[in-house]
Amino acid sequence: MKRVGPLRDRLRLRVMRSLGIAVWRLTERLDVDVAGASEGPRFTIDSARRRAFEDLIASARSGNGTLDAAACPYPLHELLTYLVVEHDLLLHGSNDGTLEILEPRLAQDYETKLHAVVASDDGIWPMFYAVVARDRIDGVFSACTHLGRPPRLRRFYMFAIGGDAAASTSWTRGTVYVLPRAGFHREWGHEWVSSDAVRPLLRLSVGPEDFPRRDTVIGLSSPDEFRRVSHHLRIAKRERAARMHGSTLPSVRR
């Protein structure tokens, strides 16, 4: 499986995904806000959660493979993270909840293209792709990185859409598909790809209210803003902090 596209864009993507991620991780460790990323909720597992999640998984596997969201007594992102961490599975988010087989599709970054099934070993990141209404917005940007391991795992995210992130029309219900890791290889960070079609093991219906980082998603209006996404994420992060503390910020040149 080979990524295709202009050499300049392939090199740019490689640098961003190697040097860029390394710098991002280092700055998060040093508590220096370069990326404008927001930290996700901490993942904890106790005996009560373990029993509840294992019961849900066993019930889904003995039935039609659908995890019963209504019967889950904890946030759904915790169940998804449990499947990744404890069962070594991958996740794929989609607006389409009717898929029986995930077929390789065109994945595009800048002007490069890769024909693959894309999945993640993170419990929150795929939820974004399940609940953002892809047919009603003009592009997305997202990234994810981890520091440490459970129980000290810290997860950081960047999310942006082309459109109004506050509008209800930018969001929809979707499905997170739970996939076996066999046949996938790591593309970068916490993204995995497979050149072959994949049959999901389980599925979970989710809504915008289940996505725990929805308040950090920013809306962008032009390709130029996407190219400066970290700048806009930092501004939005400062504005959220100011609102939370009831203060005001000096105007920032955009």
Side-chain angles (χ1 to χ4, degrees), residues 24 28 33 35-41 124 143-145 154-159 212-218 233-234 236-238 240-241:
W24 181 17
E28 296 295 356
D33 188 19
S38 297
E39 186 169 359
I124 292 175
C144 164
T145 195
R154 300 178 67 195
R155 300 173 290 180
F156 296 87
Y157 303 92
M158 293 186 278
F159 296 112
R213 296 285 76 190
R214 184 179 171 186
D215 64 319
T216 71
V217 181
I218 64 170
L233 283 165
R234 288 195 302 272
K237 189 174 179 180
R238 291 183 63 206
R240 286 196 306 273

Side-chain angles (χ1 to χ4, degrees), residues 9-28:
D9 288 293
R10 284 184 282 134
L11 290 174
R12 180 185 180 188
L13 190 63
R14 180 172 296 182
V15 169
M16 184 187 74
R17 288 182 169 178
S18 54
L19 179 60
I21 294 296
V23 170
W24 181 17
R25 288 169 54 84
L26 176 61
T27 55
E28 296 295 356

Side-chain angles (χ1 to χ4, degrees), residues 47-66:
S47 58
R49 281 176 168 80
R50 188 179 299 277
R51 285 194 300 271
F53 294 157
E54 288 295 342
D55 286 347
L56 287 166
I57 294 166
S59 178
R61 282 178 166 163
S62 65
N64 63 2
T66 300

Side-chain angles (χ1 to χ4, degrees), residues 178-217:
V178 184
L179 312 177
R181 200 172 287 233
F184 282 87
H185 74 264
R186 191 186 298 273
E187 168 74 354
W188 70 282
H190 298 281
E191 181 177 287
W192 295 67
V193 295
S194 171
S195 59
D196 299 321
V198 182
R199 183 180 295 277
L201 300 174
L202 303 166
R203 69 187 67 211
L204 177 67
S205 177
V206 294
E209 69 281 2
D210 298 312
F211 176 46
R213 296 285 76 190
R214 184 179 171 186
D215 64 319
T216 71
V217 181

Side-chain angles (χ1 to χ4, degrees), residues 29-107:
R29 287 185 187 278
L30 298 175
D31 197 27
V32 177
D33 188 19
V34 171
S38 297
E39 186 169 359
R42 296 292 180 96
F43 172 68
T44 59
I45 188 66
D46 52 36
S47 58
R49 281 176 168 80
R50 188 179 299 277
R51 285 194 300 271
F53 294 157
E54 288 295 342
D55 286 347
L56 287 166
I57 294 166
S59 178
R61 282 178 166 163
S62 65
N64 63 2
T66 300
L67 292 156
D68 187 353
C72 184
Y74 302 101
L76 297 184
H77 66 83
E78 292 190 12
L79 170 59
L80 292 171
T81 301
Y82 182 84
L83 285 161
V84 170
V85 173
E86 298 293 326
H87 286 259
D88 201 31
L89 298 169
L90 299 175
L91 307 174
H92 172 92
S94 173
N95 292 168
D96 189 346
T98 66
L99 301 175
E100 297 298 329
I101 299 288
L102 301 188
E103 299 283 353
R105 298 180 64 183
L106 197 62

